[in-house]
Amino acid sequence: MGDFVNIFKIDDNSLNIANYYVRHNMLVAFPTETVYGLGCNALSDDAVKRVYAAKGRPIDNPLIVHLPMDADYSRYVYDNDLSLSLRKAFLPGPLTMVYKSKGVVSPLVSCGLDTLAIRVPSHKGAQRFLKYVDLPIAAPSANVSKHVSPVTAMHVYEDFGDKLPMILDGGRCDGGIESTVLDVTGDVPVILRKGLITAEMIKSVVGACQYAVDGDALNKRSPGTRYRHYCPKVPSTLFGADEVQKAVEYYGELKNSDKNPVILCTTEVAENLKGLNVIDLGNTGAVMANRLYAALRESENYDHLIGIRFVVEDEIALGVENRFLKAFG
Ligand code: AMP
Ligand code: MG
């Protein structure tokens, strides 16, 4: 890829180098079906410290451990029947499950919690990487803390440049928003973070599923949910789904004061805004999930982002709405 000396296609040669870096406790960014991850050896305190430092991530926001298909969970956590059924149904895929930890990986991964979050991504490049290095890989999203999550190798490069020894390029991520995080330590699974695997899908397999209620208890159980996330580096203003006219007037005001704003909205709304700078988010939850982060990054080519909220019509859209609102603070 021309000048981008640290971006590599995934092949035996690059995996061999990636393996060397991971085993020397350095960081390797890799693709998954949700977003790009910033991976490190989960067994090493030094390696995990590097992830927090590189991202500027608050040190009480725990990381997810990534394992290859058919990995032995019982090495790391106390397994249970509930999670076994869910694994059969949804893995590999965008479902992270939180277990009681056996304390085998670095304590910095879970920030001192007695639990451990594990995920088995379905992306072929991710699977090849995880199988090749054959170590548990702790990985948050591969963006500088608070910035928009990356869905291409170039997004990772935009945030870290040459500071990372290696970015494995597996193309654009399909899923687009992060995995569902599900606590399976109790009798009923509890969703800590909404994502592409929905409560309905989980219910259809194990009969029940709850959402953790926003607030202090959730912040303690899943500290990541407390922080500001997904912010583009331009000023932004959010309007309600029934405030399209107001949003257009505001766009006009910004234009008149020599600004170059852009409107982020659903396809339905976009069709009525011909002639304006518009980023079309799509109409269904799955499409919006796929487009959201690339859209937020694209908005950085303008100097003001105007968001118009959407009516949530399916469960994936609920996960998109959660990120969309956080992006506007
Ligand atoms: P990110 O790496 O940016 O996708 O964020 C990881 C998410 O997983 C955050 O929302 C964390 O709070 C959550 N998480 C990771 N480990 C745990 C754990 N042991 N218990 C609860 N939530 C976790
Ligand atoms: Mg993240």
Side-chain angles (χ1 to χ4, degrees), residues 65-278:
V65 165
H66 294 67
L67 296 178
M69 208 40 199
D70 303 321
D72 179 10
Y73 275 54
S74 64
R75 262 170 81 177
Y76 307 105
V77 293
Y78 296 97
D79 206 356
N80 57 49
D81 290 344
L82 179 69
S83 94
L84 213 60
S85 310
L86 291 168
R87 292 216 294 273
K88 273 199 194 123
F90 299 118
L91 298 195
L95 176 66
T96 296
M97 287 191 267
V98 174
Y99 301 81
K100 285 277 175 228
S101 176
K102 286 191 172 168
V104 173
V105 302
S106 162
L108 303 177
V109 170
S110 292
C111 311
L113 297 170
D114 62 358
T115 51
L116 183 67
I118 299 184
R119 156 163 147 73
V120 175
S122 63
H123 190 289
K124 286 204 171 64
Q127 278 296 323
R128 271 184 85 182
F129 167 62
L130 294 166
K131 279 211 178 82
Y132 199 103
V133 299
D134 194 27
L135 282 171
I137 297 294
S141 50
N143 52 280
V144 167
S145 196
K146 298 190 186 68
H147 193 214
V148 184
S149 303
V151 294
T152 66
M154 267 315 287
H155 289 163
V156 181
Y157 189 86
E158 280 165 19
D159 275 23
F160 296 101
D162 298 330
K163 280 189 215 136
L164 296 181
M166 189 169 217
I167 301 169
L168 291 172
D169 187 352
R172 162 110 184 229
C173 307
D174 296 328
I177 60 171
E178 294 84 348
S179 60
T180 304
V181 178
L182 187 73
D183 186 325
V184 291
T185 58
D187 294 334
V188 174
V190 180
I191 292 183
L192 303 178
R193 178 175 74 186
K194 299 179 187 93
L196 297 168
I197 303 291
T198 65
E200 280 313 311
M201 292 161 75
I202 292 165
K203 260 187 215 160
S204 75
V205 175
V206 293
C209 181
Q210 296 173 347
Y211 285 110
V213 185
D214 273 336
D216 289 352
L218 175 59
N219 289 343
K220 247 192 216 134
R221 270 168 95 174
S222 187
T225 53
R226 152 177 51 191
Y227 292 106
R228 181 131 196 236
H229 279 297
Y230 321 120
C231 303
K233 292 177 191 155
V234 283
S236 63
T237 312
L238 184 62
F239 289 89
D242 55 356
E243 294 180 320
V244 177
Q245 196 47 44
K246 256 172 101 178
V248 171
E249 281 162 23
Y250 188 58
Y251 180 98
E253 281 170 34
L254 289 169
K255 269 280 184 199
N256 286 338
S257 54
D258 272 342
K259 294 265 187 237
N260 185 30
V262 65
I263 299 178
L264 176 62
C265 59
T266 60
T267 308
E268 223 178 328
V269 176
E271 279 165 357
N272 295 315
L273 302 180
K274 299 250 159 64
L276 309 188
N277 300 327
V278 171

